Amino acid sequence: QVRLVESGGGLVQAGGSLRLSCVASGRLFATATMGWYRQAPGEQRDLVATINSGSNTNYADSVKGRFTISRDDAKDTVYLQMDSLKPDDTGVYYCNYNYMLGYNYWGRGTRVTVSS
């Protein structure tokens, strides 16, 4: 099993920045993909960004050019640097760890609120 603990959320004004962190522990695999997903109030959980073991990244169109995902495998940590934040970025951000079918884990989430 994998445990994921997110941190770094909070309240920020539009145009500001936040950096989210997610520390993984447990039975980890070097080839796993990690990512961030966002769930706005009343909405489904949507992809924000992912990064695989080769550091190849994938972003939702809405965050391209503003958010940067990175990973530090020595620390078993994935980061999400969020710049130029908008009120539409408000939601709970969940960390995801995916190794293979059936080996997929979620953190409990960290809340981000962007005020206008």
Side-chain angles (χ1 to χ4, degrees):
Q1 284 199 346
V2 174
R3 182 171 182 246
L4 302 170
V5 179
E6 302 102 331
S7 62
L11 173 64
V12 64
Q13 288 189 334
S17 298
L18 284 174
R19 188 192 194 206
L20 306 184
S21 299
C22 171
V23 180
S25 61
R27 190 180 183 195
L28 305 178
F29 297 88
T31 55
T33 292
M34 297 187 72
W36 290 94
Y37 290 72
R38 175 174 67 207
Q39 188 164 17
E43 302 291 332
Q44 65 181 17
R45 192 175 299 184
D46 292 325
L47 167 75
V48 175
T50 62
I51 184 167
N52 67 14
S53 57
S55 294
N56 296 304
T57 58
N58 180 48
Y59 294 93
D61 288 343
S62 61
V63 306
K64 284 180 180 177
R66 300 188 298 120
F67 290 11
T68 303
I69 189 170
S70 60
R71 62 192 286 169
D72 185 340
D73 290 336
K75 296 182 179 180
D76 296 323
T77 301
V78 63
Y79 304 97
L80 185 68
Q81 177 66 41
M82 305 187 295
D83 299 317
S84 302
L85 282 160
K86 305 175 181 179
D88 284 350
D89 295 321
T90 293
V92 179
Y93 283 70
Y94 294 92
C95 181
N96 177 261
Y97 183 96
N98 184 62
Y99 173 58
M100 59 183 288
L101 185 64
Y103 206 88
N104 186 55
Y105 294 91
W106 295 92
R108 292 189 173 185
T110 184
R111 185 173 300 276
V112 172
T113 303
V114 184
S115 63
S116 56

